[in-house]
Amino acid sequence: MARMDAGVRASDRDRGKVVRQLRDEIRDGRLTENTFTHRVDLAVRARDQADLEILVADLPRRGRLARWLAAGAGHLGAFARAIVPRGLLPRRTGELTLPPAPGRYVIGRDPQADLYLTHASVSHHHAEMSYVDGAWLLTDLGSRNGTRVNGWRLAGPATVGHGDIVDLGAWRVHIVDRTARR
């Protein structure tokens, strides 16, 4: 969430953003039910943006996948170096460790995406990874430059797993599943 100014009246949209962030945090296990309930109540009654900022000041500010990395949990492996690329390489590469928690994760150039990729070839909401029936599915979300798995352009959802290579615009990520038996 962007830094909020003291004294600036909070809008319903501002309150909604804070409530959504709190919902994500309780789902990820960072808040207890009592803390969540208390903070949501305060968010609904907040008068200015400073009141809202206090409610999320102790929480990570990025998408869920990046938060695991920031917490030092190592769930993204070497992909940490690829989140904000250095230099002007024609193709950005990295390693993406599959998340330990089932769910739906949006990949894209939108700073609010769960996995934020910084390159003009990546759409704001480029692709989505979701855990369905014991497998990870990758779905292109109508991106301009497409999504490829092992060189094949996605026409619909595709199962991805350890060893797969995914191209998202100029990004190439190697999928790693730390739980897979090799």
Side-chain angles (χ1 to χ4, degrees), residues 156-178:
T159 303
V160 293
H162 182 78
D164 286 331
I165 297 171
V166 177
D167 293 319
L168 304 144
W171 283 89
R172 172 166 285 168
V173 294
H174 301 267
I175 302 292
V176 176
D177 185 355
R178 300 273 186 233

Side-chain angles (χ1 to χ4, degrees), residues 1-34:
M1 170 177 276
R3 184 105 180 107
M4 296 182 176
D5 297 322
V8 175
R9 189 162 178 80
S11 69
D12 288 338
R13 186 175 186 176
D14 295 331
R15 290 183 192 93
K17 285 180 184 178
V18 168
V19 169
R20 282 190 298 280
Q21 184 177 359
L22 293 171
R23 183 196 63 214
D24 290 344
E25 297 301 331
I26 192 171
R27 181 181 53 232
D28 292 345
R30 286 191 184 82
L31 294 177
T32 64
E33 187 173 330
N34 289 340

Side-chain angles (χ1 to χ4, degrees), residues 112-132:
Q112 298 300 316
D114 297 310
L115 180 57
Y116 175 52
L117 300 176
T118 58
H119 194 271
S121 67
V122 177
S123 297
H124 285 276
H125 297 115
H126 196 98
E128 176 184 85
M129 284 188 63
S130 56
Y131 194 77
V132 178

